[in-house]
Amino acid sequence: MEAMMEQRDGVALFTICRPEKRNAVNFVVMEALEGALSEAEADERVKIFAITGAGDEAFCSGGDLHEFGPLRGAEAKQMLTRMGEVLYRLLTFPKPTAALVNGAAMGGGCELATACDFRFVKEGSRIGFIQGRLGITTGWGGASMLFGKLPYARALDLLLRAEPMTAEDMEACGWADAVLAADHWREQWQARLTLYAARSLAVLEAYKAAAGEKWRTVWFREQFFAEIDRCAALWGSVEHEQALHPFFRKQ
């Protein structure tokens, strides 16, 4: 089982269960997340949809390079577009969403968390939009979302630095909504989500409808997927190939 969803007290918690791969997204996880979103949206008992990673080391390290790294041309673009659709759906989800960043979030893992309404981060976590170091750009709509959620210069700084940042630095720039103590991690995020889940579903959906208007415009959606097309054009470039060599030498 590479992913699972459990429901408790109005919160549907989707967990990527690949700690040995630092909870990297592969096609199985992608399909599981698509199904979980459909299930959570249809279930009136679910008021909050949350995402986390199994274990104590990683939230999500991005795309699984073992599966995605060798893709080229149309196959690479198809993978990027499919996951982009998942994140766009998460961004515009009709109920509040939260990323429970319980460890390292790198590359696409940062994009996954950015698509959520809230990002609660465990102290000691490292977070990095490192795509630029791999000869590519954000490939799942992350830059478009980041520019929409953070001040322009702060968003651009994170993307151009392309380096891991501390949880505290990510809170200071506005990406992390709260840094939670490691020894009370689960109790603290549960308390926050329970507070939101105490509101009626109608109230939650009404606020999300208002919040989501900016993301559902034709202009934003076109920008979001144009970003993915630009990443697809860089996928498999000489710089990208060279950046992946160290990974494949370890296989």
Side-chain angles (χ1 to χ4, degrees):
M1 180 172 58
E2 302 198 12
M4 61 175 288
M5 187 169 75
E6 55 187 315
Q7 183 189 143
R8 181 179 179 183
D9 299 328
V11 177
L13 178 61
F14 179 85
T15 303
I16 303 173
C17 303
R18 309 185 75 217
E20 74 287 354
K21 297 288 187 179
R22 297 182 65 78
N23 294 318
V25 173
N26 63 359
F27 286 113
V28 172
V29 172
M30 196 183 300
E31 183 176 2
L33 184 52
E34 289 169 337
L37 287 168
S38 294
E39 183 180 339
E41 182 175 354
D43 191 340
E44 293 187 354
R45 297 171 299 173
V46 173
K47 294 183 176 181
I48 311 289
F49 183 80
I51 301 175
T52 195
D56 299 318
E57 300 299 323
F59 166 72
C60 175
S61 59
D64 187 335
L65 293 179
H66 181 72
E67 288 195 25
F68 298 162
L71 300 179
R72 295 291 179 268
E75 287 186 334
K77 183 174 180 178
Q78 183 179 35
M79 176 276 293
L80 294 169
T81 301
R82 180 180 175 187
M83 193 60 185
E85 289 282 4
V86 174
L87 264 62
Y88 183 78
R89 185 176 178 189
L90 183 60
L91 178 69
T92 58
F93 199 66
K95 303 173 184 181
T97 58
L100 308 176
V101 184
N102 58 311
M106 296 292 158
C110 291
E111 298 186 69
L112 177 62
T114 301
C116 295
D117 297 314
F118 301 103
R119 283 159 294 284
F120 301 131
V121 182
K122 186 172 71 174
E123 63 179 353
S125 299
R126 301 281 284 177
I127 298 111
F129 287 85
I130 60 171
Q131 290 90 334
R133 291 176 178 260
L134 301 177
I136 56 173
T137 55
T138 46
W140 297 340
S144 298
M145 294 186 288
L146 204 61
F147 284 125
K149 294 191 175 191
L150 295 186
Y152 170 78
R154 290 182 181 178
L156 188 60
D157 178 66
L158 290 176
L159 295 167
L160 297 185
R161 279 176 181 263
E163 63 183 10
M165 310 278 284
T166 67
E168 290 74 19
D169 284 341
M170 294 301 277
E171 182 181 32
C173 80
W175 185 85
D177 293 293
V179 176
L180 307 181
D183 54 352
H184 297 293
W185 161 247
R186 189 173 185 90
E187 296 91 333
Q188 289 186 53
W189 67 251
Q190 282 181 329
R192 288 173 180 266
L193 297 189
T194 297
L195 182 64
Y196 302 148
R199 308 284 76 80
S200 72
L201 180 59
V203 166
L204 297 176
E205 290 180 332
Y207 278 130
K208 278 304 303 281
E213 289 297 332
K214 63 185 288 187
W215 309 122
R216 288 190 290 269
T217 64
V218 173
W219 175 85
F220 179 81
R221 184 175 169 84
E222 288 179 347
Q223 173 182 294
F224 186 96
F225 286 97
E227 173 189 338
I228 292 173
D229 289 344
R230 287 189 288 271
C231 179
L234 294 172
W235 198 275
S237 65
V238 172
E239 186 179 355
H240 186 221
E241 292 271 13
Q242 291 176 341
L244 293 183
H245 282 166
F247 170 80
F248 287 115
R249 280 200 298 266
K250 296 176 182 178
Q251 302 305 300

